Amino acid sequence: MSLFRDVILCADDYGLSDGVSRGIVELAAMGRLSATGAMTSMPGWRRAARDLAPLKGRIGTGLHLNLTTGAPLGAMARLAPAGRFPPLKELLAHAVRGRLKGAEIRDEIARQLDAFEDAHGEPPSFVDGHQHVHVLPGVRGALLRTLRERGYAGRVWLRDPTDAATSILRRPVGRAKALVVKGFAQGFSRDAHAAGFMTNRGFSGFAPFDLSVPAGRIFDAAFSHMGPSPLVMCHPGYVDEELRGLDPAVESRVAELDYLKSDAFGALLKEQGIRLVPGP
């Protein structure tokens, strides 16, 4: 019997800005992360993709599908008529009302996958979504169809951002966010498995994007009451002007970065017998 508990610790938003990407690479090189999701529609991806090459085989590198920040990689007359993605609230409204155009979403997913492969030299090991957009109505089906058409079934795993309600409620941080996402993602793992894709089982890491909760408390909660094949998301990075203009999570990224580099986090992993792994 293994003495370790395998957990995926995934840093979101690689490529969002140079500071975010640099922080993620530093943590991965230290063994303090086991996966990262790349925002290949952002200009920062093309600048930072080569820095992941030395980490191949050490961490899982996936596509962090983006439909809410910056610009799409091609024309999207329905979703982004002015050439910019809508904010999450607007995308949600389109999704729940059935107003997303499937072909348009599939084309953008394909472009972001192409951008990943062109820069990284191989398919992603997993796919998830910036602000969990990959589970939304009108996006979910388009994603599964596109991945199957590219022959990714059985080769790529998908992130399920849900957890048991009992686990969510027992964690003192991020409950409201976790329950909202669970509602939107209902049935995602079932649909993914039916299409031939593996998923994680157990998900945590929801937290406020400010300094109201210390990073140590966030990760103490995230690494508690975990599922049988759990994934913990995080958002570390350095702050730069590019980041300030793109995302509401700013100073909290530095707090997470510092904690994940710290002896305290090393002690948490050791005390709980946690081994960071790149996939389920």
Side-chain angles (χ1 to χ4, degrees), residues 193-207:
H193 297 163
F197 297 94
M198 183 183 295
T199 65
N200 55 291
R201 292 191 296 158
F203 185 80
S204 59
F206 290 98

Side-chain angles (χ1 to χ4, degrees), residues 76-80 89-105 137-139:
M76 299 186 78
R78 177 77 62 84
L79 183 64
K89 184 176 181 179
E90 186 176 330
L91 178 67
L92 284 172
H94 287 312
V96 299
R97 292 169 184 167
R99 294 178 179 173
L100 297 178
K101 186 177 179 180
E104 184 178 79
I105 299 297
V139 179

Side-chain angles (χ1 to χ4, degrees), residues 31-274:
R32 295 298 177 88
L33 291 174
S34 58
T36 189
M39 299 179 72
T40 65
S41 62
M42 304 301 294
W45 163 245
R46 292 180 285 278
R47 297 192 299 266
R50 63 185 179 184
D51 295 332
L52 292 174
L55 297 168
K56 286 185 179 181
R58 296 174 58 185
I59 66 169
T61 304
L63 174 68
H64 196 52
L65 177 65
N66 174 34
L67 297 173
T68 58
T69 300
L73 291 176
M76 299 186 78
R78 177 77 62 84
L79 183 64
R84 305 292 291 181
F85 283 130
L88 178 61
K89 184 176 181 179
E90 186 176 330
L91 178 67
L92 284 172
H94 287 312
V96 299
R97 292 169 184 167
R99 294 178 179 173
L100 297 178
K101 186 177 179 180
E104 184 178 79
I105 299 297
R106 290 195 301 272
D107 286 347
E108 179 62 18
I109 291 170
R111 287 189 290 263
Q112 293 188 26
L113 287 166
D114 287 343
F116 185 98
E117 294 191 22
D118 289 346
H120 195 58
E122 60 188 33
S125 54
F126 67 92
V127 176
D128 60 25
H130 185 54
Q131 299 179 312
H132 314 291
V133 299
H134 65 301
V135 305
L136 295 178
V139 179
R140 180 187 306 191
L143 175 64
L144 294 175
R145 176 175 169 179
T146 302
L147 295 178
R148 283 188 60 83
E149 289 176 349
R150 295 172 78 106
Y152 286 172
R155 301 167 57 199
V156 172
W157 59 274
L158 305 179
R159 184 162 93 180
D160 178 7
T162 70
D163 208 343
T166 51
S167 295
I168 293 171
L169 294 173
R170 292 173 72 185
R171 298 185 189 112
V173 179
R175 292 172 184 149
K177 285 185 181 180
L179 290 171
V180 169
V181 172
K182 179 178 175 65
F184 280 111
Q186 184 175 4
F188 179 76
S189 62
R190 177 199 61 219
D191 294 344
H193 297 163
F197 297 94
M198 183 183 295
T199 65
N200 55 291
R201 292 191 296 158
F203 185 80
S204 59
F206 290 98
F209 289 141
D210 55 31
L211 300 178
S212 61
V213 181
R217 187 176 173 217
I218 290 171
F219 286 100
D220 280 343
F223 281 91
S224 67
H225 312 296
M226 293 186 291
S229 183
L231 186 152
V232 175
M233 69 171 173
C234 58
H235 299 85
Y238 292 104
V239 175
D240 52 29
E241 289 308 307
E242 185 177 28
L243 175 65
R244 290 186 186 280
L246 290 170
D247 198 77
V250 181
E251 277 75 17
S252 62
R253 293 183 187 267
V254 179
E256 289 197 13
L257 177 70
D258 289 344
Y259 177 77
L260 291 172
K261 286 185 173 183
S262 71
D263 292 341
F265 181 57
L268 174 68
L269 296 178
K270 185 175 181 180
E271 289 167 4
Q272 296 198 20
I274 291 169

